[in-house]
Amino acid sequence: MRLSLEFTTEPFDLDETPGHALATRAVLASAGLDSVEVGPFGNSAEGGQEAVLAAVDAVLRAGLAAGATRVSLQVNLLAGEGT
């Protein structure tokens, strides 16, 4: 089963990248996911079920530990994938 993950961390800082954003980006870079996109207002990734679910756990832990006050995320089953 393949899943997609989209998330944002807050608070936003338009002048410099917050530590929580850097921490969660580092998680994505090392998570072994198939596709990763990082942007100023959100991040996304795709991969197998176990890799995405492990990344969700790591993103939440890293983001909160680095000062995020909110982490908003969405996980979706990719089209054409069954359970």
Side-chain angles (χ1 to χ4, degrees):
M1 177 184 320
R2 290 185 46 78
L3 302 174
S4 67
L5 162 66
E6 297 176 20
F7 72 92
T8 60
T9 58
E10 296 179 38
F12 295 116
D13 184 337
L14 298 177
D15 295 325
E16 63 182 75
T17 306
H20 55 79
L22 295 173
T24 55
R25 289 176 186 177
V27 166
L28 286 185
S30 65
L33 298 165
D34 300 333
S35 171
V36 174
E37 292 186 30
V38 175
F41 299 108
N43 307 285
S44 63
E46 295 180 3
Q49 176 181 348
E50 293 306 316
V52 170
L53 294 178
V56 167
D57 178 69
V59 160
L60 290 172
R61 291 178 187 277
L64 294 170
T69 57
R70 178 184 298 205
V71 180
S72 302
L73 65 89
Q74 179 173 302
V75 176
N76 293 303
L77 181 65
L78 290 175
E81 295 289 325
T83 54

